[in-house]
Amino acid sequence: MQKDKPFSQACENNKAPILEKLTELFKQPGTILEIGTGTGQHAVHFASHLPHLVWQPSDHPQNAQLARAWIDDSELGNIYSPIALNVLEGNWSGLPAIDGVFSANTAHIMAWQEVEAMFHGVSRILPVNGLFCLYGPFSYGSRHTSESNSRFDLSLRTQAPHMGIRDMEDLVALGAETGLALEDDFEMPANNRLLVWRKS
Ligand SMILES: C[S@@+](CC[C@H](N)C(=O)[O-])C[C@H]1O[C@@H](n2cnc3c(N)ncnc32)[C@H](O)[C@@H]1O
């Protein structure tokens, strides 16, 4: 029976362009950890189109089961059950061996301390040469790339001061500190980017 499933229109809009990039980036068979999976729409879309990959969804304990309905309904054999993963906590134990990491629209929701923890954790679990792909809106030299991103940033900071669009300079510096070298910065629709770091 069809269950009520959480739905994000943004995921429907961005899943095809993101898939196009992930298809180029994750060519080899392997297991991909998704951080902050949300509804599960991305997980199902990417796993169904990239059958050489195994997808490991995860999210903050508060949201870890949100993706369950999409994943169960998909009946795909290459998605593991979603796991609870708060990037701030512990040593991310209980994960299978990970070959790559993907995360969408998380860096502006997390506090900067969580973004730092995410980079440290990703670097710990990635093998040398493994990729970390981070999708979302970003600013450059503290300048937003569009009026709408500027408004979005203001609305985030008004809702909660710890949230906000992250600046590339800070992320590149954080990557360098944690052994992740920025390799690509793809322009994506709707003023978003797909940033790709390689574990050195
Ligand atoms: C805006 S949603 C993005 C969901 C999905 N990736 C998407 O693109 O629609 C932000 C996600 O980040 C997750 N998140 C926030 N803080 C987190 C943390 N400390 N550890 C793991 N995930 C976190 C939230 O639970 C939420 O699922």
Side-chain angles (χ1 to χ4, degrees):
M1 195 172 59
Q2 183 79 9
K3 290 176 240 160
D4 282 340
K5 294 190 282 196
F7 182 80
S8 154
Q9 186 58 49
C11 283
E12 289 306 299
N13 299 346
N14 62 32
K15 67 185 186 180
I18 298 175
L19 173 64
E20 201 178 304
K21 292 295 177 210
L22 296 187
T23 304
E24 292 164 17
L25 293 163
F26 293 137
K27 282 209 168 83
Q28 300 303 318
T31 300
I32 308 300
L33 171 68
E34 181 178 8
I35 297 173
T37 291
T39 62
Q41 285 159 271
H42 279 158
V44 167
H45 190 68
F46 302 151
S48 68
H49 287 84
L50 302 169
H52 59 290
L53 298 179
V54 178
W55 207 261
Q56 174 63 76
S58 78
D59 209 328
H60 189 281
Q62 277 173 357
N63 289 331
Q65 294 310 312
L66 196 65
R68 172 73 63 189
W70 276 91
I71 292 168
D72 288 352
D73 275 7
S74 76
E75 296 182 353
L76 288 166
N78 62 331
I79 309 190
Y80 287 134
S81 285
I83 58 167
L85 172 63
N86 176 354
V87 294
L88 263 187
E89 280 177 13
N91 60 357
W92 298 17
S93 56
L95 289 174
I98 296 298
D99 302 291
V101 179
F102 169 76
S103 190
N105 293 316
T106 47
H108 58 268
I109 298 297
M110 292 176 181
W112 179 248
Q113 188 197 5
E114 293 170 288
V115 178
E116 288 179 322
M118 175 162 69
F119 272 71
H120 281 278
V122 167
S123 182
R124 248 188 343 260
I125 61 165
L126 272 184
V128 170
N129 282 327
L131 298 182
F132 173 34
C133 301
L134 183 63
Y135 172 88
F138 301 98
S139 59
Y140 293 78
S142 303
R143 295 174 78 94
H144 292 294
T145 59
S146 67
E147 255 312 298
S148 63
N149 279 7
S150 173
R151 280 196 301 274
F152 181 49
D153 185 43
L154 185 62
S155 78
L156 287 167
R157 291 175 195 277
T158 308
Q159 279 174 65
H162 71 266
M163 298 198 293
I165 290 181
R166 304 299 165 197
D167 197 81
M168 277 298 284
E169 283 176 16
D170 296 332
L171 293 173
V172 170
L174 179 56
E177 255 172 55
T178 54
L180 297 167
L182 186 72
E183 185 161 288
D184 273 305
D185 171 3
F186 296 110
E187 186 172 3
M188 304 294 283
N191 305 305
N192 287 299
R193 319 290 301 184
L194 183 74
L195 310 178
V196 183
W197 279 270
R198 189 178 289 279
K199 171 77 182 281
S200 46

